[in-house]
Amino acid sequence: MKMDKVYLKDYEKPPYEVERIDLEFDLHENRTIVKSTMKIKRLCEPNRPLMLEGEELELLRVVLDGRELHESEYELSEMSLSLHLLPERFTLEIENSINPEANTALDGLYRSGGIFCTQNEPEGFRRITYFMDRPDVMAVYSTKIIADKQACPVLLSNGNLFKCGDLEGGKHYALWKDPFPKPSYLYALVAGDLGCVNETFETMSGKEVALNIYCDKGNEAKCSHAMASLKASMKWDEERFGREYDLDIYNIVAVDSFNMGAMENKGLNIFNSHYVLADADTATDDNFLGIESVIAHEYFHNWTGNRITCRDWFQLTLKEGLTVFRDQEFSSDMNTRSVQRISDVKALQERQFVEDASATSHPIKPDSYIEINNFYTATIYEKGAEVIRMIHTMLGEEGFKKGMDLYFETFDGQAVRTEDFVWAMQEASGFTKETSASQTATASFDLEQFTLWYSQSGTPEVDVTTRFDKKEKRFEITLTQSYLSPTQSGQKPYFFPFALGLLDSKGSDISLKLQNSQYQPLIDKGILLIRQESETFVFEEVNAEPVMSLNRNFSAPVKLHTAYTLQEYAFLMAHDSDAFNRFEASQTIAAMVLHKLIDSVEVNGPMTLSETYAEAFAKVLLDMNMDMSLKAASLSLPSVSMLMQERKILNVEAIYAARNFLKRELVRRYGADIRVQYDSLNITGEYRLDKDSIGRRKLKNTLLSFMSALRDESLPLAQYEHANNMTDRLSALILLANSTTQARQKALSDFYARYKSNTLVMNKYFSVISSCERKDTLENVKTLLNDEVFDIKVPNLVRSLIGSFARNALHFHAADGSGYRFISQKILELDKLNPQIASGLAGAYKDYGRLNEKAKTLMKAELEKIITAEGLSKNVYEIVSKILG
């Protein structure tokens, strides 16, 4: 089997322009009639045909300038409709039917839970009607929706509501008009019987905007946090970037069956209900923070994605990387900036670094794809955001804001490229040919080399060596880049900012005086600019050899290699003024200790607790002035995923054994102190969602996790039974679910009975079961496949039960290959229903190249079973073929 690739180098401008499109839907469960009327302008020679994409459609009629065409006057295939010899301007009317009820792929227009809903990014609109379904075809849309009034009292689409009314036969209609040109992927329609929460927002120019959040009836009370987050994000975007909302109405709809987290359709955002509905009894602190972030992300897309969109899908990071950066900044301002940065970088390291090191590695701007849905990845989003952040670091807030203003001013209403964004930032930097070779007093520099971040894949690694000249009081740092990618060769040195500090013996920052500095304003902020494969920086007036704090605030998405000892990392863990680097030091020293323990397990050697690490752990534990969220993060051990990244050949059982040993030994030594702090934090009171309360719960549950390492279930059971919020209840349940006592079944049975009718909470239940270390985990997962709550057609449920098991390294990598077999079976089953969800599962096999020979043989058998399956989707084929490649 071989499938065709799409290449960036083959891009051509659209030969036709759709100036406007008027849509009419007559909604029915099994046969919806869609009528489109398009005003089209030909931009090419007359003999070039107009090709309109279309999939899973029944064509009923085609009308050109008022005349219905005979089927001999156009070409119709399973994937397209083509017309020839067209005039320079014409009106094209198309009528077709679709079956929303049968659309289990959840792409285009589908019906689920009694609600009609659309998802068109990236190429779903072609499953609604025939169209030039590409992001650089921007048209003005209107939509008339006709439906049964009792079944679908709510009729929504993009833009502003223009007219509505009743029709004969118990039907009604609504006419929506969006004045802003947009690509088809931003088109949206929702119809159903929904509840609604209404508020208003006054923009900075004094315009009142109606805000509506629609959800299943009965869930209205769970929308208050989402509404508050929306209003906060609207205000923040005005204050930070001067961006005001441009329509009279902003609608959000929460649906259970949705492939993605949310979709920024112009004026009508459609959300996975996971990112809208929340209250203290059903949502954790992380759920609340996730809602705040995703609500903001989709709102910010109004300018970075909608008003200015992508020329083609290779430019996806243009809107996603930039908007992730914006939502991260928003969350930092709403919460604790250092804690938010730690959370963002942990997500990057655990998800994107793994991707960069695998056969699915790709640049943030790929040069080819088979299925674009496979590129909604951590690389495009999170690494893309880090690339934007590096520009922000180099330009500073004022310079970055200037570049953003120029970007909006120049490209509003256009479909553009990453090069256009970089151009705006280059202009803002003040770089000219005259300044390029001079010593400047401002951060003015050429970004041409920086664009390698867009085209090169893999995570750069930086080796750090030093030399101290006591007599001359000079301290030299040499940084050497290496940039090997699993999928590219011939890479060139990156250009990036590198923040650092030098600490004296008391832990205080030393004033930086860099020899021959070209960018003094950046040096004053502790930032070096790295351009070459190897560079040496000389710091003067350094009286004693310092300890380096490197890549502060994670200024560049690189991996560092130093000759630091456990003692030096312990010093940074205790004294570094950069909060992120204190956390990073805690993870690095713990990882060093754990890797030594893993080595011992692999050769059946003895395991012992490192005294240096134990003392460093204790200093953090007993620091009562430390931010509690930062303290919780610093005490936590590196995840299994992070440890797996550094092992050449994976031995997952050894990793689990080492982590569990270290946890037990720390509790045996410091259990009394841990218990005292836990008890002081374990005070039942009114649930509050402020920074301090979140930090208290985070630290309390981290300490509870440590105490449970000794298999005493009394504390987690007591916390479960007395919890007045989901954060505490779920934290306790996770620990109990791994036990072998009666407390386990008591808690699980109670949780199931309490939340059986709440799908969002049952997602948590499924995830808890499938993430267990217990030997019977796979059998428990298989049993839940037949549970009345589980529905394989609902993506959230699949991700929670099957996806969580695929991420459970201990059981996915079971020595007998049972984990590989189970997931391959589910991939093939899901591929027939929803290829996007199936291809997401296929990524679980990405560690194929680092397995031992036995495991590799077992995994290969399953991968070959998948790739040779009849009718395999290109979504799954692309992922599996890369892994096997």
Side-chain angles (χ1 to χ4, degrees):
M1 179 189 297
K2 188 173 183 180
M3 298 192 182
D4 292 336
K5 284 187 177 182
V6 179
Y7 292 93
L8 172 60
K9 63 182 176 59
D10 294 334
Y11 171 83
E12 293 183 1
K13 291 182 179 180
Y16 290 81
E17 176 185 354
V18 182
E19 296 174 324
R20 68 171 294 113
I21 175 171
D22 299 316
L23 292 163
E24 179 179 301
F25 291 81
D26 191 352
L27 295 177
H28 296 274
E29 298 174 12
N30 304 113
R31 185 175 168 82
T32 288
I33 304 299
V34 184
K35 299 177 183 177
S36 71
T37 302
M38 294 176 278
K39 302 290 185 183
I40 302 178
K41 179 181 179 183
R42 177 169 50 77
L43 305 174
C44 59
E45 62 279 2
N47 62 350
R48 184 163 182 184
L50 168 65
M51 192 188 81
L52 305 174
E53 287 87 10
E55 298 177 14
E56 305 290 331
L57 308 177
E58 180 189 2
L59 181 63
L60 301 178
R61 68 190 195 115
V62 181
V63 178
L64 178 64
D65 286 335
R67 183 177 70 84
E68 184 168 352
L69 301 183
H70 186 267
E71 60 183 21
S72 63
E73 296 181 88
Y74 53 80
E75 294 179 20
L76 181 64
S77 73
E78 288 186 0
M79 306 295 286
S80 66
L81 170 66
S82 298
L83 294 90
H84 299 264
L85 299 175
L86 296 165
E88 186 175 343
R89 288 182 178 272
F90 57 95
T91 299
L92 182 64
E93 301 172 60
I94 296 174
E95 185 174 334
N96 63 271
S97 70
I98 53 178
N99 186 345
E101 190 72 32
N103 184 359
T104 61
L106 310 185
D107 228 2
L109 176 65
Y110 62 93
R111 185 175 181 272
S112 180
I115 298 171
F116 290 91
C117 181
T118 58
Q119 171 55 32
N120 291 318
E121 185 177 356
E123 296 175 339
F125 193 75
R126 64 191 62 187
R127 297 170 67 96
I128 292 176
T129 190
Y130 294 95
F131 194 72
M132 297 173 66
D133 191 14
R134 45 189 287 176
D136 56 352
V137 175
M138 302 177 71
V140 174
Y141 284 69
S142 74
T143 303
K144 183 178 182 180
I145 310 169
I146 301 169
D148 181 86
K149 188 172 183 178
Q150 184 175 357
C152 298
V154 175
L155 305 176
L156 304 172
S157 191
N158 306 92
N160 297 317
L161 180 62
F162 182 72
K163 189 189 297 185
C164 60
D166 292 335
L167 300 170
E168 294 180 354
K171 293 188 173 185
H172 69 142
Y173 78 95
L175 178 60
W176 291 82
K177 293 187 176 183
D178 184 356
F180 296 95
K182 64 173 176 287
S184 54
Y185 82 85
L186 290 172
Y187 179 78
L189 178 154
V190 172
D193 188 8
L194 298 162
C196 185
V197 175
N198 318 98
E199 290 196 24
T200 60
F201 178 82
E202 185 177 321
T203 69
M204 59 185 181
S205 66
K207 182 178 76 172
E208 187 175 274
V209 179
L211 308 179
N212 304 305
I213 299 181
Y214 294 88
C215 62
D216 287 336
K217 288 182 175 178
N219 283 330
E220 292 90 343
K222 296 176 183 176
C223 295
S224 58
H225 179 66
M227 182 64 80
S229 300
L230 174 59
K231 296 173 85 168
S233 61
M234 296 176 82
K235 187 174 187 293
W236 183 89
D237 212 18
E238 290 182 343
E239 294 175 347
R240 179 76 180 265
F241 289 103
R243 297 299 106 191
E244 183 176 1
Y245 187 61
D246 49 12
L247 290 169
D248 300 330
I249 190 168
Y250 191 93
N251 290 323
I252 290 175
V253 180
V255 296
D256 286 337
S257 294
F258 202 66
N259 282 339
M260 298 185 175
M263 182 61 213
E264 69 268 19
N265 315 298
K266 183 72 176 181
L268 177 56
N269 287 187
I270 301 176
F271 272 66
N272 188 317
S273 54
H274 177 80
Y275 291 108
V276 175
L277 306 178
D279 61 19
D281 184 54
T282 60
T284 65
D285 293 343
D286 286 341
N287 292 148
F288 277 102
L289 295 175
I291 288 169
E292 180 181 68
S293 172
V294 177
I295 289 281
H297 180 95
E298 304 309 324
Y299 174 75
F300 297 153
H301 264 315
N302 188 56
W303 279 93
T304 51
N306 296 4
R307 290 284 289 259
I308 305 176
T309 193
C310 304
R311 186 196 72 173
D312 53 72
W313 288 119
F314 297 100
Q315 320 293 329
L316 183 57
T317 197
L318 173 73
K319 72 183 185 78
E320 295 301 347
L322 177 56
T323 305
V324 169
F325 168 76
R326 276 156 47 76
D327 82 55
Q328 289 176 350
E329 283 296 288
F330 167 76
S331 295
S332 295
D333 286 343
M334 295 298 105
N335 304 290
T336 304
R337 180 163 284 271
S338 60
V339 173
Q340 182 64 40
R341 186 63 180 143
I342 288 169
S343 175
D344 293 336
V345 174
K346 279 181 67 178
L348 179 86
Q349 292 174 330
E350 293 192 1
R351 294 175 57 228
Q352 196 282 320
F353 276 20
V354 173
E355 195 168 79
D356 251 351
S358 75
T360 60
S361 176
H362 56 274
I364 67 170
K365 183 177 179 178
D367 57 10
S368 68
Y369 61 80
I370 293 175
E371 172 52 66
I372 186 57
N373 274 304
N374 288 332
F375 285 84
Y376 285 76
T377 61
T379 297
I380 301 295
Y381 282 66
E382 278 77 21
K383 186 176 181 180
E386 294 301 316
V387 170
I388 301 298
R389 185 175 297 279
M390 286 189 285
I391 295 175
H392 180 274
T393 298
M394 292 187 289
L395 268 61
E397 175 63 19
E398 184 178 344
F400 187 80
K401 174 67 164 54
K402 182 180 175 183
M404 289 293 290
D405 287 345
L406 180 61
Y407 178 64
F408 293 132
E409 181 183 308
T410 306
F411 300 112
D412 187 16
Q414 298 180 47
V416 300
R417 308 164 301 154
T418 58
E419 289 88 344
D420 298 311
F421 177 81
V422 174
W423 168 84
M425 292 297 152
Q426 182 70 84
E427 291 292 305
S429 80
F431 175 85
T432 65
K433 291 181 179 179
E434 288 71 32
T435 63
S436 62
S438 65
Q439 301 286 324
T440 62
T442 60
S444 169
F445 34 76
D446 187 358
L447 288 175
E448 182 178 354
Q449 182 186 359
F450 183 82
T451 60
L452 291 172
W453 284 100
Y454 286 89
S455 59
Q456 296 187 163
S457 65
T459 304
E461 303 196 16
V462 178
D463 286 292
V464 183
T465 58
T466 64
R467 188 175 76 87
F468 178 60
D469 187 326
K470 186 175 182 179
K471 181 179 179 182
E472 298 294 330
K473 296 184 178 181
R474 289 179 180 171
F475 185 67
E476 295 182 2
I477 301 176
T478 299
L479 304 176
T480 303
Q481 297 186 47
S482 58
Y483 21 82
L484 295 176
S485 164
T487 57
Q488 282 185 339
S489 59
Q491 293 196 335
K492 298 177 181 178
Y494 288 89
F495 172 33
F496 57 91
F498 190 80
L500 84 168
L502 302 180
L503 278 61
D504 63 21
S505 59
K506 296 181 180 179
S508 299
D509 282 283
I510 299 170
S511 178
L512 300 180
K513 294 180 175 61
L514 185 64
Q515 190 180 81
N516 300 323
S517 169
Q518 185 177 349
Y519 302 110
Q520 191 58 46
L522 289 175
I523 300 304
D524 291 343
K525 299 176 183 178
I527 298 170
L528 305 176
L529 293 183
I530 312 302
R531 294 177 180 275
Q532 300 171 23
E533 185 171 328
S534 184
E535 296 184 65
T536 298
F537 299 89
V538 181
F539 293 91
E540 299 179 319
E541 299 181 30
V542 180
N543 296 321
E545 185 166 2
V547 175
M548 299 178 294
S549 171
L550 300 171
N551 205 25
R552 282 184 157 179
N553 204 39
F554 204 70
S555 57
V558 301
K559 290 184 177 182
L560 286 180
H561 300 288
T562 71
Y564 271 7
T565 62
L566 292 179
Q567 288 76 12
E568 285 167 311
Y569 280 117
F571 180 85
L572 290 169
M573 193 172 165
H575 299 293
D576 202 326
S577 61
D578 184 87
F580 175 83
N581 271 24
R582 284 190 73 181
F583 159 76
E584 190 78 338
S586 75
Q587 298 301 286
T588 304
I589 187 175
M592 292 169 71
V593 170
L594 282 164
H595 283 300
K596 189 173 181 180
L597 292 171
I598 295 166
D599 292 341
S600 294
V601 174
E602 290 182 334
V603 296
N604 296 317
M607 290 191 286
T608 56
L609 176 64
S610 162
E611 290 300 321
T612 302
Y613 175 66
E615 291 171 9
F617 180 90
K619 283 183 180 179
V620 173
L621 176 66
L622 300 176
D623 185 346
M624 298 306 173
N625 296 316
M626 195 174 185
D627 176 276
M628 291 190 187
S629 289
L630 178 60
K631 184 173 181 177
S634 298
L635 291 174
S636 299
L637 300 183
S639 68
V640 171
S641 171
M642 288 295 293
L643 294 169
M644 285 172 64
Q645 291 181 45
E646 302 304 318
R647 309 302 295 182
K648 290 183 178 179
I649 301 295
L650 292 183
N651 184 333
V652 176
E653 290 185 356
I655 293 173
Y656 276 83
R659 286 184 87 255
N660 291 337
F661 168 83
L662 184 55
K663 235 178 182 181
R664 286 194 304 271
E665 292 305 304
L666 289 170
V667 176
R668 285 178 176 138
R669 181 167 299 192
Y670 302 114
D673 293 310
I674 292 173
R675 179 61 190 266
V676 168
Q677 287 194 47
Y678 172 81
D679 288 342
S680 71
L681 296 167
N682 191 31
I683 301 171
T684 301
E686 181 185 358
Y687 178 79
R688 300 177 64 86
L689 193 66
D690 55 72
K691 290 182 279 191
D692 290 341
S693 299
I694 290 172
R696 289 174 66 89
R697 284 189 290 273
K698 190 172 291 186
L699 179 56
K700 176 180 72 172
N701 288 312
T702 299
L703 297 173
L704 180 64
S705 174
F706 272 99
M707 287 187 289
S708 296
L710 297 181
R711 300 301 183 189
D712 179 1
E713 277 77 42
S714 58
L715 276 180
L717 182 60
Q719 177 170 307
Y720 177 87
E721 292 177 336
H722 295 98
N724 68 345
N725 63 83
M726 181 54 74
T727 303
D728 288 345
R729 182 173 291 121
L730 186 65
S731 295
L733 184 70
I734 290 169
L735 299 172
L736 291 168
N738 276 293
S739 74
T740 57
T741 66
Q742 291 182 347
R744 174 184 186 271
Q745 195 53 49
K746 181 180 181 182
L748 287 173
S749 297
D750 175 79
F751 195 91
Y752 186 95
R754 188 188 296 244
Y755 298 110
K756 180 180 177 181
S757 60
N758 188 315
T759 303
L760 279 181
V761 181
M762 288 306 293
N763 288 327
K764 295 177 173 63
Y765 177 85
F766 289 143
S767 181
V768 167
I769 299 297
S770 57
S771 301
C772 282
E773 294 181 30
R774 288 170 52 101
K775 292 181 180 179
D776 59 356
T777 294
L778 178 55
E779 292 309 310
N780 292 333
V781 169
K782 289 179 177 179
T783 299
L784 287 175
L785 290 172
N786 298 313
D787 190 277
E788 61 182 283
V789 176
F790 183 76
D791 183 348
I792 201 166
K793 294 180 182 179
V794 178
N796 281 353
L797 292 170
V798 173
R799 283 186 282 255
S800 297
L801 183 60
I802 304 172
S804 294
F805 179 83
R807 292 187 295 274
N808 183 338
L810 185 63
H811 293 296
F812 177 69
H813 292 288
D816 63 357
S818 56
Y820 305 151
R821 288 192 296 275
F822 174 70
I823 293 301
S824 72
Q825 292 164 5
K826 292 299 127 188
I827 287 171
L828 291 174
E829 182 180 352
L830 281 161
D831 196 42
K832 292 177 171 60
L833 298 170
N834 191 327
Q836 288 186 50
I837 300 302
S839 67
L841 273 180
Y845 294 96
K846 61 186 172 293
D847 289 317
Y848 172 68
R850 295 192 297 130
L851 301 178
N852 61 48
E853 288 306 313
K854 179 185 175 183
K856 188 178 288 186
T857 299
L858 291 169
M859 183 181 281
K860 184 178 182 180
E862 300 308 314
L863 290 168
E864 290 180 339
K865 186 186 302 180
I866 294 170
I867 206 165
T868 57
E870 186 177 349
L872 187 70
S873 71
K874 61 182 181 179
N875 306 63
V876 174
Y877 171 84
E878 181 169 29
I879 300 298
V880 175
S881 64
K882 285 181 177 179
I883 292 170
L884 280 172

